[in-house]
Amino acid sequence: MRKVYLDHNATTPVHPDVREAVAPFLSELFGNPSSIHWAGRDVRKPVEDARQEIAAFFGCQPLEIVFASSGTESDNLAIKGIAFRKENAGKHIVTSTVEHPAVINTCRFLESQGFRVTYAPVNRQGIVEPESVRKAITKDTILVSVMYANNETGCVMPIEEIGAIARESGVLMHTDAVQATGKIPVDWKSLPVDLLTFSGHKINALKGAGGLIVRKGVEIEAVLHGGHQERGRRGGTENVVGIVAMGKAFSLLRAGMEQEVRETRRLRDKFENALFGRIPELVLNGHPARRLPNTVNISFRFVEGEALLLNLDMLGIACSSGSACTSGSIEGSPILMAMGTDPVDAQGALRFSLGMGNTDADVEYAVDAIEAVVEKLRAMSPLGVKEAKAR
Ligand SMILES: Cc1ncc(COP(=O)(O)O)c(C=O)c1O
């Protein structure tokens, strides 16, 4: 069966150059980077080289990077790290309604610990409006955490404006840039941001490695207590393989991101235009322009997203629905619901995210398959397109 992978926002295939770069670390380069003997030194240097490479990509200082086990851990470290360090200054955090669970559930945990959290709304197109963040800030606020780009809709948030508002108010700013990294330029030097999360497996490196950039001078409380690794900010022997993989992936992005993104955008636009041209009753979820170049989220009216996803899976097409099955009924994605999407449209939504390895032939195969499956499901639906239109 032909396989077409259109779920790069969930995870990405490992780049062949990354695979090659990590191979020695699965055999002869096995040391612990904290050891002072040759075996340790053999791996300490590659870890620090990777740090340099990542710093060069973002434009930050190498020592501003704290390696962690994932985007999730880095989000935890940013938010809990500031909350517990600054709780004497205030116990209020501002975030948004469309954050990844790594942020939302960290905030929910902090609420159980006596912090107050304001979830700034998004507009109908899924964008956090800077003014809503301004309104939410109080004199008790210690942190604003708003994602750079949304994983489900691809919406790119006005992080410069939101960060500027946080700065004006003397509040620290965190952004989860897990989805933005490698897809749009992220320039640490010009961003009014104090903490920034990235993750390896979204950029063709390995799962289980990520990091947090912490602006020089900003102090955070450790979340993982242990050894002195990462200058006491994150205990635990470094994931050498994961870090070396990220170093290589970032060096590849530095060399070829523009071209890679141009090609992905071309394929995404071709895919999107073909779907909208050939299938009636589609709704684009999210902002048409302020959007990651690889992502498209579409509601297929009169079709259940899960049914469409499973039928496409049987044809070898991997994509994603943000909906969840709760007590037997399918609930639309919380992100789409937070945007004010019609609940029925939210149930019929699928996310397609393109990336390395996708081809014109993939797009053509997927469009044909989606058209056929949607037609089949709509014909079976108690509320077919024709009847619905006639209502
Ligand atoms: C926006 C966003 N933040 C955080 C994460 C979590 O990253 P990780 O899978 O590395 O824990 C993801 C992954 O889906 C994401 O999309």
Side-chain angles (χ1 to χ4, degrees), residues 58 75 96 98-100 103 126-128 145-151 153-162 173-181 183-188 190-193 195-197 290-292:
F58 285 107
D75 282 341
S96 85
V98 296
E99 299 298 311
H100 188 271
V103 168
I127 306 288
V128 179
S145 176
V146 174
M147 69 202 322
Y148 209 124
N150 183 269
N151 39 302
T153 58
C155 282
V156 177
M157 306 302 175
I159 290 303
E160 292 86 352
E161 286 98 312
I162 295 172
M173 171 81 194
H174 166 242
T175 190
D176 174 339
V178 165
Q179 292 293 346
T181 303
K183 297 172 189 152
I184 53 172
V186 176
D187 177 24
W188 177 252
S190 65
L191 275 179
V193 162
L195 306 116
L196 182 146
T197 298
R290 281 197 73 97
R291 192 157 45 112
L292 293 175

Side-chain angles (χ1 to χ4, degrees), residues 122-135:
V122 290
N123 64 23
R124 190 60 192 82
Q125 292 180 312
I127 306 288
V128 179
E129 286 173 355
E131 282 312 306
S132 69
V133 172
R134 190 195 297 281
K135 271 196 221 136

Side-chain angles (χ1 to χ4, degrees), residues 182 275 357:
L275 289 179

